[in-house]
Amino acid sequence: MLEKSVLERIINEALESSADFAEVFVENTLQNSLSMQDSAVQKALSNELKGVGIRIAKGYKSVYGHTNKTDEQSLMALTKDLKTAFSGNRVRETVKLGTIQSKNNHKVKTYPNEVDVAEKVTLLKRADKAARLYSKDIKQVNLSYMDTVQEVVIASSESIFVKDARVRTRLGINSVASNEKDMQHGFNGPGGSYGFEFYDQIEVEEEAREASRIAVTMLYADDCPSKTMPVVIDNGFGGVIFHEACGHSLEATSVAKNASVFSGKKGEKIGSDLVTAIDDGTIANAWGSANYDDEGLPQKRRVLIDKGVLTSYMVDQLNGRRMNEASTHSSRRQSYRFAPTSRMSNTYIDNGESTFDEIIENTEYGLYARKMGGGSVNPSTGDFNFSVMEGYMIRNGKIAEPVKGATLVGTGKDALKKIDMVGNNLLRSQGMCGSVSGSIAADVGQPTIRIASITVGGRKEDAS
Amino acid sequence: MNFKPLFEKATKVGFEAIQIKYSESRSVDLEVFKGDLDKHEISDSKGLVLEGIYQGKMGKMSTENIDESFFDSWLQTLKSSAEAVESEDPVVIYEGDDAYKEVEGVYSEALETLSVEAKKKIVFELEERVRNADDRIDISEAFYSESSRYVLLENSKGLSLEKRVNHAVLGAHIVAKANDDSRSAFDYIQSNQPQDFNTDELVENVVERGTSMLGAAPIESGKYDVIIENRTSANLLGAFLSMFKAENVQKGLSKLKGKLNEPIAHAQVSLIENPFMEKSPKSTGFDGEGVATYKKHIIDKGVLKTYMHNLKTAKKDSVESTGNGFGGGISHTNLFIEPGEQSLDTMLKEMGDGLFITSLQGLHSGTSAISGDFSLQASGYVVKDGKLDKPVSLITVSSNYLELLGTINTIGSDLKFTFSYLGSPSIRLNAMSVSGK
């Protein structure tokens, strides 16, 4: 990692211009991954990232450069190149960095690099065996294992000088069930900000069987009807609906530019009374947690929506300047290759009071989306769509036959208002979130919720 | 850096063969938002990928920390990677082909030497023109993204190949707003020749696309004749590309298994890969494994002629690699549905009444590349008497990609490529299942 004096020289060189902000992000990351198919390890990869990102800004205008030529001379050359964007007299005094800060609320017991590859292989074999034994319809199981240790040093003109180590691991199980007629798959991917001890905390076989259960259920499912109807979305990964439909629109990335449906709506009622939503990057060892955000500010818990009222956006320093708001310490990036911006961490709808049974019993007819697939949203319009990985019809207040191929279509602002039941069984689930500053680990979550009415797309024509 | 000593060390410690891919890349990204330069990023990076065969297994690693002093530790990492692999799949490091085509028009000095100021000017102008084109334009953004790449591929069997490509994309994104309704649109030009960045058509397209979608609403559910616009059809093809990759076929993850030389699409459909297209950064005379590339039909008049192979999958099937080995897996260079005769206007006229779909969302989640099923949110226009009528949004179209290829009614002449160099003309389909109101 670069020495403090080098960091100071880069920052001060950058400020030898009309710029009023300069930041250096130094990264060294080791990643290991394994993949298994046909019950045999196919690939074992290791990857090392080593580079530096330099950001210089004046007001909310910024330039960013990154390189993995990390000697002082190359970095100074890059800095000189970047600062040409801000010609003019110096506006900031000489920056002196203090003592480097480092706290760690996400303790790791076994660093993944200290674990023998053979142990990681054993883990995949256990998952593979359990997934296959679930049913004779399971014809293929694709497994992936990953661990990453991202060490960063962040220094900026804003009295920031921190280091952080982000350790994460995840197991992905993708079971494929097939017969003469059809082929369906089911996915489950538990992970966290842990070392290898994570796998002592979860039941690996149970997680694997879950992926197979979804695949087999969907193999025998009928096509979902196309219709507008009430939809009950289960807890855990069901929270992707909030993440996509509302979370992205609450990021300063779109809010600051007035490009979000929620721009200028702070203090206003944007959802039903039942909706309280939180983005919390401090949850111990959660998948989307960190000690500091990627501008070096300590991670926080943010109440985004309180009983339907918009209370906070997710804001980074530069977008905060544009919005005239303080940072909520929400700046994140995939790696030094990306300029950071406001992003979600662990985002969820908070518990309500209904039980799961009450929600189903109170739904005469509708769709029960037990497991959601992915989705996407257009942040300027709020239009979203999600695929339902595992769905069932609800008839007469009871869960009925499984259905496949369902898509939920709507807009975020409508959906938030139409949430008319919220369960008491909050669960978080892991995902990778892709946006302008790259692909980052993020938890989604919610209790079981009901949306009173939403368009369901399916392959079967209107039926009841 | 001289990698010969690495190769020698590798042989000494028991590797059968070893290969390096060294790359250097530079990029410039500019973005103008409502008259301000909102993004200005530059990068200069290098990377190294190493592969080595040890006791019949392929070890692999990559690093950005590149120095001769790491040779020994790299070999150690490679060895433990190889030792973890259990797959009995064949492994190959290639000695090379007799000849490689010199691909022309993929590196442009003119682009490289154009000053950052000149590039900024192009983006500023584009954004200003778009912003002033219509009162309903609420948000206007223009971007310029340029990259330049050098690749060196060498191995212990004597292979040594290099290439240099560069390329830029100029695009604009708008949000049009009226009566509390917002609609976004974007369009782009990609080339490596500065003179191709003529923005007249770009401005017109992006403004028209955004403003004409204002007031879009769902239509009644039912079966509709549909034309899917060129770039949207190309994106849809991208979601199902894995079907054509031999690795998925061999692992039972493609419905095209056992379908070689059988009709899998309508006789009008040809799917072509051309690695020698000018101005495309994907064009190359050799793939990532050092195999010479060539132009080929994957689907020829509806008949599946070949899967895309790399060395490993080719060896398994006892065929030759098709030169599609990239990044350790299988990928395409420039792949497109062969255009037909009809212009989009003629297609609309011939269809008369139906839907024109300009956007499909959720391609990464609403599709199953294994089964071919898709159910996607769509927007576009009602077509009435051969003309675009009112805008449509929040509808879902559902089908199966192979069914779609089999029932194509017409293929247009308006071939357009996506950023990943997948291309398609507009295509017309009959009686597609649409869910709306």
Side-chain angles (χ1 to χ4, degrees), chain B residues 221-290:
Chain B
S221 299
K223 297 265 187 194
Y224 289 83
D225 285 354
V226 164
I227 293 173
I228 302 179
E229 195 184 25
N230 50 15
R231 68 184 198 196
T232 304
S233 167
N235 283 324
L236 191 61
L237 169 65
F240 295 102
L241 203 58
S242 61
M243 283 188 178
F244 297 95
K245 297 181 181 180
E247 55 194 352
N248 294 316
V249 177
Q250 290 171 351
K251 305 263 188 201
L253 299 175
S254 166
K255 278 200 163 175
L256 295 179
K257 191 173 182 171
K259 297 277 170 71
L260 273 186
N261 296 311
E262 284 184 24
I264 59 153
H266 193 277
Q268 297 175 75
V269 180
S270 288
L271 184 65
I272 298 173
E273 194 202 27
N274 179 6
F276 309 131
M277 224 166 75
E278 278 193 354
K279 299 178 187 179
S280 164
K282 291 275 209 164
S283 293
T284 179
F286 59 92
D287 72 1
E289 298 179 307

Side-chain angles (χ1 to χ4, degrees), chain A residues 2 5 11 74 155 183 262 269 291 315 319 323 343-344 352 361 385 396 421 450:
Chain A
L2 293 173
S5 58
I11 290 170
S74 302
M183 199 188 266
F262 299 129
K269 193 98 194 298
N291 293 298
V315 188
N319 279 308
M323 295 162 71
R343 301 287 294 271
M344 286 175 263
E361 280 161 18
N385 67 87
N396 306 317
M421 292 187 91
R450 186 174 77 176

Side-chain angles (χ1 to χ4, degrees), chain A residues 226 461, chain B residues 219-224 226 355 357 395-398 432-436:
Chain A
S226 280
E461 281 184 50
Chain B
I219 46 162
E220 297 290 329
S221 299
K223 297 265 187 194
Y224 289 83
V226 164
L355 273 178
I357 291 179
I395 55 167
T396 306
V397 293
S398 309
M432 210 171 180
S433 181
V434 173
S435 129

Side-chain angles (χ1 to χ4, degrees), chain A residues 235-251:
Chain A
N235 64 356
F237 201 71
V240 72
I241 190 169
F242 182 80
H243 173 102
E244 298 289 353
C246 308
H248 280 293
S249 302
L250 292 169
E251 291 168 342

Side-chain angles (χ1 to χ4, degrees), chain B residues 105-245:
Chain B
V106 291
Y107 182 79
S108 148
E109 206 62 56
L111 190 70
E112 200 75 31
T113 52
L114 194 66
S115 72
V116 175
E117 287 313 307
K119 288 164 187 166
K120 275 190 195 167
K121 191 166 168 262
I122 294 173
V123 195
F124 271 107
E125 273 177 17
L126 173 60
E127 192 276 335
E128 192 180 353
R129 291 187 62 190
V130 169
R131 178 159 32 100
N132 295 329
D134 193 294
D135 288 345
R136 293 166 294 175
I137 296 197
D138 186 43
I139 288 170
S140 49
E141 262 175 312
F143 66 92
Y144 175 87
S145 176
E146 178 190 315
S147 62
S148 157
R149 193 157 187 255
Y150 165 79
V151 176
L152 173 72
L153 186 68
E154 283 190 334
N155 68 33
S156 57
K157 290 184 168 175
L159 184 84
S160 181
L161 296 163
E162 59 179 353
K163 66 176 172 188
R164 196 178 286 279
V165 296
N166 65 1
H167 163 259
V169 186
L170 176 71
H173 168 250
I174 61 153
V175 175
K177 202 171 181 178
N179 305 324
D180 206 27
D181 185 33
S182 297
R183 299 291 159 182
S184 63
F186 103 110
D187 205 0
Y188 55 91
I189 301 168
Q190 23 187 12
S191 177
N192 60 14
Q193 294 298 332
Q195 72 265 23
D196 287 345
F197 296 111
N198 180 326
T199 53
D200 292 351
E201 204 179 324
L202 184 60
V203 171
E204 192 180 318
N205 274 346
V206 76
V207 171
E208 170 63 23
R209 271 171 178 279
T211 53
S212 63
M213 282 301 290
L214 286 166
I219 46 162
E220 297 290 329
S221 299
K223 297 265 187 194
Y224 289 83
D225 285 354
V226 164
I227 293 173
I228 302 179
E229 195 184 25
N230 50 15
R231 68 184 198 196
T232 304
S233 167
N235 283 324
L236 191 61
L237 169 65
F240 295 102
L241 203 58
S242 61
M243 283 188 178
F244 297 95
K245 297 181 181 180

Side-chain angles (χ1 to χ4, degrees), chain A residues 205 223 244-245 261 350 438 441:
Chain A
E205 282 78 5
D223 284 334
E244 298 289 353
V261 288
D350 212 356

